[in-house]
Amino acid sequence: MLMKTLLPLLLALGLTTTASAGPVLDRIKTSGRIVIAHREASVPFSYLLPDGRPVGYAVDLCLKVAEAVRQRLKMPSLNPQFMLVTPANRIQAVVDGKADLECGSTTNNAERREKVAFTVPHYITGARYLVRANSGITDLAQFEGRTLVSTKGTTPLKSITQANSERALHIKIVEAPDNAKAMDMLAAGQVDGFVLDDVQLYGIVSARPDADRFEVVGKLLTIEALAIALPKNDPEFKAIVD
C-alpha cells in the first residue's frame, strides 16, 4: 500500500532509480555542441597552428572525449566548439559554464579542486628554468639578484614566488600574460630566465629558428600533474571523461 502511494510521487519528482543526464550532458544535448577550452601557446599540449587551428596532446584527448559523449547521448553528430583561454581565466571559464572541458596544461591541485573537477592526470612534469645558453646559469641559486619571468595564473609562478621569499634570493619576478610574451622577454634580454613546466619550455624553444641560443636548466622546482578540468558535481559527465 505504501509503495502504491509513493510511486506516483516519486515519478513526479524524478526520484526513481533511473538516473537522468547530469547538467553538463543536458546542456550539451540541448545545444548540440561541446565547448573545448584551449590555449594559444602551451606546446605540446594545447596551441595554435599558423592557420589558427587548435592542436596538441590535450586537445586530441578532448576530441576523443567529445566522441565518447556523442556516443553516450546517441547523437548523430556533436559539434566541438573551441574557446581560447589564458592561464588567468581558464578555471573561471569552466566554473561559469562557458567551457565543458579545459584542455590545456593545467595542474590538478587542491586550490583548483575547490572550483572544478579534474580527470586522471595525463602527464607528469615539473617546473625548471629556460635561460640563454651563454648565461652561465645552471640552477635557481644563480638567479639571486636577477630577473625571472613566469606566466600569470600558473603554479610555477606561485612556486617561484614562494621559493624566492623562503630562500631570500632577492629575485625580481615578472608576470607575463602568456607563454609567448615570456619567451619574447627572455629572447630580448629583458629577463634572465623563464620558469615554467620543462616540457612546455622544450616545446616553446623547439619552434624557434634560434633554438640553440637557449637551454633548460636546474632541478625541478615543482611536480605538476597535468589534467583536464571539467565542472564539479557532475559525476556522470566525469565518469565518461575519465
Side-chain angles (χ1 to χ4, degrees):
M1 180 65 70
L2 180 60
M3 282 303 298
K4 288 181 180 179
T5 304
L6 288 177
L7 187 57
L9 180 61
L10 290 171
L11 290 171
L13 293 175
L15 297 178
T16 61
T17 56
T18 302
S20 62
V24 178
L25 295 178
D26 283 341
R27 182 170 69 218
I28 291 169
K29 191 166 188 177
T30 300
S31 67
R33 66 184 187 184
I34 183 168
V35 181
I36 296 174
H38 65 93
R39 298 281 298 281
E40 183 176 17
S42 287
V43 181
F45 301 102
S46 184
Y47 59 101
L48 294 176
L49 292 178
D51 63 5
R53 182 163 54 95
V55 295
Y57 181 50
V59 174
D60 286 348
L61 290 175
C62 284
L63 289 173
K64 294 287 188 182
V65 170
E67 174 59 20
V69 170
R70 185 196 68 78
Q71 293 181 22
R72 175 64 64 89
L73 295 177
K74 296 181 171 59
M75 299 174 67
S77 63
L78 179 61
N79 179 35
Q81 179 176 319
F82 291 103
M83 175 185 179
L84 180 64
V85 293
T86 68
N89 68 14
R90 55 186 165 177
I91 298 299
Q92 197 59 43
V94 177
V95 173
D96 292 343
K98 295 177 181 178
D100 301 308
L101 299 164
E102 191 276 314
C103 309
S105 54
T106 301
T107 301
N108 175 355
N109 61 26
E111 180 182 354
R112 290 171 177 161
R113 287 195 298 273
E114 293 294 320
K115 298 179 179 180
V116 296
F118 283 95
T119 60
V120 293
H122 57 258
Y123 199 90
I124 307 297
T125 182
R128 292 171 69 200
Y129 316 95
L130 183 67
V131 298
R132 292 181 293 278
N134 62 359
S135 68
I137 297 173
T138 59
D139 206 2
L140 174 60
Q142 292 175 279
F143 286 106
E144 184 170 4
R146 301 181 189 233
T147 303
L148 266 174
V149 66
S150 194
T151 309
K152 183 177 181 179
T154 62
T155 51
L157 174 61
K158 184 175 181 180
S159 296
I160 192 60
T161 301
Q162 182 178 346
N164 186 36
S165 175
E166 291 175 348
R167 303 185 195 186
L169 293 172
H170 308 291
I171 299 171
K172 181 181 178 182
I173 298 172
V174 180
E175 294 184 11
D178 53 48
N179 294 346
K181 178 61 177 176
M183 183 68 232
D184 288 344
M185 293 172 70
L186 178 63
Q190 297 172 356
V191 298
D192 299 294
F194 174 16
V195 56
L196 195 68
D197 299 344
D198 61 358
V199 64
Q200 292 192 70
L201 294 175
Y202 284 118
I204 292 166
V205 170
S206 70
R208 295 182 62 91
D210 59 350
D212 59 349
R213 287 183 55 214
F214 307 94
E215 61 181 347
V216 178
V217 300
K219 299 176 181 178
L220 291 176
L221 175 67
T222 62
I223 300 295
E224 312 283 344
L226 306 186
I228 295 165
L230 61 156
K232 286 190 73 172
N233 304 318
D234 195 330
E236 185 175 1
F237 183 59
K238 187 177 189 308
I240 297 173
V241 178
D242 281 345

